[in-house]
Amino acid sequence: MSVFDGLKFRRVSSPIHLLDPRIKFFYVCSVFVSAIIFWELLPLIILFLVQIPFVLSARVQKEWVRSLRGAAFLAAFIFSTNIVFRFISAGQPTLQDVEYASAMTLRFVVLVESFSIFFLTTSPDHLGLALEKSHIPYEFCFAFTTAVRFVPVLADEAQTIMDAQKARGLELEKGNFIKRIRNYIPILIPLIISAIRRSLELAEAMESRAWGAIEKRTNLYILKMGRNDYLLIMISILILIISVYTRFHVTVPVFSSFFL
Amino acid sequence: MIEVKNVYYTYPSGVEALKDISLTIRDGEFIAIMGQNGAGKTTLIKHFNGLLKSTKGEVLIDGINTKKKSVAELARNVGFVFQNPDSQLFSETVEEEVAFALKNFGLKDTMLKKRITWALELLGLTEYRKTSPFMLSGGERKRVALASVLAWNPEVVVMDEPTIGQDHQQKEKLRQFIIQLNTQGKTVVVVTHDVEFVADCAPRVILMAEGKIIKDGLGKEVLTDVDCLDQASIVLPQITEVFIELEDFGLPRNVIDLYEAKEILLRRLDEK
């Protein structure tokens, strides 16, 4: 699951990592909206390129490339589906159709790209803090950050369980489709049981540390907007304005028309 | 026979857990592998049934390279009991839990029944045959896990931390049980921190620190080597400590056995 590798946070210090997650989320949303309102190739290429400086300054290019590589399969799927449907409805696809299919694919890649930047550079704690600041009840924020934090623990445990069952002669990659799914039962049951056990233990540990004792909590870290945050807001708004303006007042050139 | 030849192992995360390990375990030997946390003990034993394949060097089980076989194939000869029984229990009854591995190895009907009965009897679990393993206590669950591995009668039994979370009585039972297995000709490999347990069993002891074997020999030699034990972050057995403290009275430094210690002390008192 290399797509998810591109969403895993690693503690690196960079100006992008220090940005307020809310602002980063706003930025992702503005890229999202811009990507959705265009179906031509040119603006999508620009959107794709605009984000590369972010990746470089956050120094997460390796993970970012990995997430894109993980998305390659889905991208290829989107491209071929577009072409195939075009072929079914109107016969031989034209150059224009190919460009349209590429644009749809690139749109998906841009979305993956921006979400990956967001998750690669935002720590779960920061994210929880941002949720809290957005007036989401603390219980939900806590549940969310805890869930994110326990993903690697669960992955480790799944590995141990797989090892233990293999040591008892389980062959995961043996048999037909149904058999292969059934092979995972001895993995899933211990995993689920231990997850439940752990959550009960966690609940007890939290209560013994006075969780929820005071209505109004204070935080050790406080999110504060800095100069870079305002800069990013400006950039995001700029992207939105340019996109919307272009959409309604400018005819976006299409590459394939040059050849006709 | 297990032969480990110049094995290196590096985890995908980049941690080098084993550095040039060479080791031969003959059939019917009883071995305790000891060492501090992160010394590479578990990593090493996971090579014995192919759960991990060395990055450099090779591991041979009865002359067969583990890289050429699947874990399931190797497991027939090498039974591996995990530290935490909860990472393997999943069946509705203890009986089915024990049957799981046997079915994987293709046993059927009467042979299957016979093996289950034998394994449950061996570990004193017969009364729990139809009980859910999740209803049992920690120690009992550990025994179910052990039974489910011993059921197919593997030639080599590898146990990761079998004494953790067991009370003294259970430990004593486990010790007798391990010695019984060993007398029957099985090769037994135990990974543990429990120095008193090892002193009681008196097997061959392999001491590890930072991915290397720092000492390999009889329990009597290894468990009385103060410097090596210190390096592996293991304390002396209590009786050895007492004897070393009393060295001025002419007591030997290399005693780990309580019975032997008693004899020596009685002789000393007689002389006085």
Side-chain angles (χ1 to χ4, degrees), chain A residues 64-208:
Chain A
W64 177 74
V65 167
R66 208 181 304 155
S67 78
L68 287 190
R69 216 184 299 146
F73 174 75
L74 265 177
F77 180 74
I78 291 172
F79 184 79
S80 49
T81 321
N82 266 297
I83 295 286
V84 167
F85 271 87
R86 172 69 214 179
F87 188 75
I88 292 169
S89 62
Q92 190 68 27
T94 59
L95 206 56
Q96 229 164 339
D97 298 328
V98 174
E99 183 176 342
Y100 180 75
S102 319
M104 288 302 109
T105 312
L106 192 60
R107 180 193 271 176
F108 168 72
V109 171
V110 168
L111 297 185
V112 170
E113 180 188 32
S114 57
F115 273 100
S116 139
I117 293 175
F118 179 75
F119 283 107
L120 279 175
T121 61
T122 310
S123 83
D125 302 335
H126 250 143
L127 202 56
L129 222 52
L131 287 175
E132 227 177 298
K133 281 267 182 166
S134 324
H135 301 289
I136 290 168
Y138 178 62
E139 285 82 0
F140 291 105
C141 307
F142 185 83
F144 176 78
T145 42
T146 313
V148 172
R149 202 172 49 214
F150 274 103
V151 167
V153 179
L154 217 61
D156 259 9
E157 198 153 303
Q159 188 58 51
T160 310
I161 293 169
M162 262 193 246
D163 282 353
Q165 306 298 36
K166 276 201 238 160
R168 296 202 296 162
L170 178 70
E171 299 213 53
L172 285 172
E173 277 90 34
K174 216 171 152 185
N176 57 27
F177 184 65
I178 307 273
K179 176 86 172 58
R180 278 183 196 210
I181 292 179
R182 282 183 54 124
N183 281 346
Y184 275 89
I185 293 176
I187 313 276
L188 284 175
I189 293 180
L191 191 61
I192 293 167
I193 287 176
S194 85
I196 293 172
R197 263 206 195 124
R198 176 170 302 117
S199 66
L200 292 177
E201 270 168 25
L202 184 67
E204 278 173 359
M206 279 161 55
E207 292 209 56
S208 56

